[in-house]
Structures are given as structure tokens and as C-alpha cells.
Amino acid sequence: MNVSILQPLIVQIGLIVALYVWLSVARLRAVSRGEVAYDAFVLGRDEPRPIARITRNLANQFELPVLMVGCVALLAAFGEVGRFDLACAWLFVAGRVVHTAVQTLTDDVKLRGRVFGINFVAFLGIAGHLGLIALGSR
């Protein structure tokens, strides 16, 4: 079971790679259409809104997901992965995929916040289990 916890992380990595490709293609298309110059991407303040959504979501992938990866890696290294952890990891990644869709395709901040709640609860489950291990209370 310890190795199976890495599968959702591979999906998370795939999501990040897909976002990098999508962002690169979107930026190249915007420049080739004359919608924006390359220098608009220096600070990202002048990006067209659809591209800015992708940029922001990609940045989000290096916030809470990084903490999740760390917790999952520690659980796997300690040999302490259980079904609960696996369920939390898959819920987290599913939530990240939905969060990405909401953030990159809509301006619905309320819905995005609700979807983030799913990710956060899944993270708390894994972090809580790791915390119990650290306190010796498994």
C-alpha cells in the first residue's frame, strides 16, 4: 500500500505538466494573434484574463499541493500508509482537478472556494495522520 500512495501524486504531477503545456500554448497563441506582446508575461499583470487564470492556477499547484506531497512522502517513507491515507490522497487530487477546471474556465470564486475546501479536508486528513504518528499516537 505504501507505493500505491504515489499514484495520486503522479496524477498531480501530470496535472502540473498539462498546465505548463496549456499555458505555453495559450501564451504563444495570444502573441501570434497580436492580442499581447511577450513583455506582458514579465510580471503577468497585463495577461489576457483567460491566460491569467491558467497562470494563477499553476501557481496554486505549488502551494497546498507541495505540503500534501511532503506529507505523503513521509507517510510512505515511514511505511504508515493506510486506506484512509490513500482515500484522502485520491480525494485531494480529484479536488485539484476540479479546482483547476473551475479556476481556469470560470470566474466563480465562490465555487472555487468550495472546491478548495475538499482539497483542504483531504490534506487535513493526511496531515492529521502524520501528526498522530509524530506524536506516537498512531
Side-chain angles (χ1 to χ4, degrees):
M1 182 151 324
N2 289 325
V3 174
S4 61
I5 194 81
L6 301 178
Q7 293 169 346
L9 295 185
I10 298 301
V11 174
Q12 177 66 35
I13 291 167
L15 175 62
I16 292 168
V17 169
L19 282 165
Y20 272 119
V21 170
W22 186 15
L23 179 61
S24 298
V25 169
R27 284 178 170 176
L28 286 172
R29 283 184 180 162
V31 170
S32 69
R33 291 179 187 151
E35 296 170 9
V36 68
Y38 278 113
D39 63 352
F41 305 121
V42 172
L43 297 176
R45 292 185 187 133
D46 299 321
E47 289 181 318
R49 190 176 196 97
I51 295 173
R53 286 193 213 122
I54 301 167
T55 301
R56 184 65 192 124
N57 185 261
L58 185 57
N60 286 162
Q61 301 306 323
F62 296 96
E63 294 171 357
L64 187 61
V66 171
L67 296 175
M68 184 68 163
V69 168
C71 289
V72 165
L74 287 170
L75 286 174
F78 294 150
E80 294 287 346
V81 176
R83 287 191 172 117
F84 174 77
D85 303 305
L86 193 55
C88 285
W90 279 115
L91 179 63
F92 182 84
V93 170
R96 292 311 301 172
V97 170
V98 174
H99 183 268
T100 292
V102 171
Q103 186 171 22
T104 59
L105 301 174
T106 77
D107 288 326
D108 193 338
V109 177
K110 286 184 181 182
L111 177 58
R112 192 171 85 212
R114 285 188 221 120
V115 173
F116 177 79
I118 295 167
N119 302 305
F120 194 64
V121 167
F123 167 74
L124 288 177
I126 287 203
H129 181 210
L130 185 61
L132 291 173
I133 291 168
L135 295 172
S137 304
R138 297 181 211 211

